[in-house]
Amino acid sequence: MSELFALNGKNAVVTGGAQGIGEAIVLGLRDAGARVFICDINPEVGNATAERHGVEFVAADVTDSASVEAAFEHVATTAGSLDVAVNNAGIVHNHPSEDLADEDWRRVLSVNLDGVFYCCRAAGRRMLGQGSGSIINTGSMSGHISNHPQPQSAYNTAKAGVIHLTKSLAGEWADRGVRVNSVSPGYVGTEMTKRGMSNEEWRRVWLGDTPMKRVAEPREIAPAVVFLASDASSYCTGTDLVVDGGYTVW
């Protein structure tokens, strides 16, 4: 059974892989045997994380489709193939919707949805050409529910779009050997969540509404990604794997 989860000989790229959930995913894929490339907008942080973990780095801005194409081509050319693409880069903006500026709405959608599409398209072009591959998008429980008490309509909308984009691409590409799935975390103890937890009202509601009464560690999200990247999930496509401590059961 264990060989089904192995990624030996596979080449993987993780956007937003320099820190947080992305960094944990990088470690999970590396430890499963994959050759891993961190793809991040910040070369200084990205290179430092890559060096620390014995993986490789390629810079890209996921909001720029040409930058994404160049980065994914670098991975495919350097490694000889692109077998796993984890599209994880994301941001959040908490602001009342009635006062949300156009540029703030557009920025969240640009990173969290447009960027995921650009990365899926770039990965798909290469995987379809080789007849195999696994794409895993980072969705969110926020794509299924509307979080409270914090306002974040742009983030929720983008993540709902990621989940439906995942299903749409899965249907298009299934008969050509490319699987497309998503992982939807709940609250995870990243720097972004820690900033929110500093608001006592938010903290009380977030933990109170989570049946397990805690946030996840980033390392608790990585195994779900390894599963979807590996042959252990060979009959899964269009699946959204929710890892939220039970938040969405209510």
Side-chain angles (χ1 to χ4, degrees), residues 34-54:
R35 179 179 179 180
V36 184
F37 291 77
I38 290 173
C39 182
D40 204 274
I41 194 171
N42 188 323
E44 182 178 356
V45 176
N47 273 306
T49 303
E51 183 176 351
R52 186 164 64 251
H53 298 315

Side-chain angles (χ1 to χ4, degrees), residues 1-6 232:
M1 178 65 73
S2 61
E3 67 273 11
L4 290 175
F5 294 87

Side-chain angles (χ1 to χ4, degrees), residues 59-223:
D61 176 356
V62 299
T63 68
D64 181 339
S65 62
S67 177
V68 170
E69 282 289 333
F72 280 48
E73 179 61 20
H74 171 81
V75 173
T77 301
T78 301
S81 66
L82 176 58
D83 306 296
V84 178
V86 183
N87 303 318
N88 170 75
I91 60 172
V92 69
H93 185 75
N94 300 114
H95 200 80
S97 295
E98 67 271 22
D99 297 322
L100 186 63
D102 291 356
E103 57 268 27
D104 292 328
W105 168 270
R106 188 63 257 157
R107 177 63 178 165
V108 174
L109 270 290
S110 182
V111 175
N112 292 14
L113 184 55
D114 296 350
V116 171
F117 173 71
Y118 297 153
C119 291
C120 284
R121 184 175 62 186
R125 285 169 171 165
R126 288 149 185 87
M127 292 175 178
L128 291 167
Q130 66 196 24
S132 65
S134 177
I135 297 172
I136 303 103
N137 298 321
T138 299
S140 172
M141 68 177 185
S142 304
H144 295 276
I145 52 90
S146 179
N147 305 64
H148 73 109
Q150 76 276 20
Q152 53 181 53
S153 61
Y155 182 86
N156 297 351
T157 300
K159 290 302 186 178
V162 167
I163 294 167
H164 207 64
L165 172 64
T166 297
K167 294 178 183 296
S168 299
L169 296 178
E172 283 191 48
W173 295 344
D175 63 354
R176 288 188 279 170
V178 178
R179 297 187 297 111
V180 189
N181 295 289
S182 56
V183 172
S184 284
Y187 291 114
V188 183
T190 61
E191 290 305 311
M192 186 168 67
T193 298
K194 288 175 183 176
R195 288 195 297 272
M197 294 281 279
S198 66
N199 181 310
E200 186 54 39
E201 181 190 6
W202 293 12
R203 174 187 173 85
R204 177 179 55 79
V205 174
W206 292 2
L207 296 182
D209 285 358
T210 302
M212 294 183 74
K213 304 303 180 189
R214 66 177 180 87
V215 299
E217 294 296 326
R219 60 179 174 78
E220 293 181 288
I221 308 303

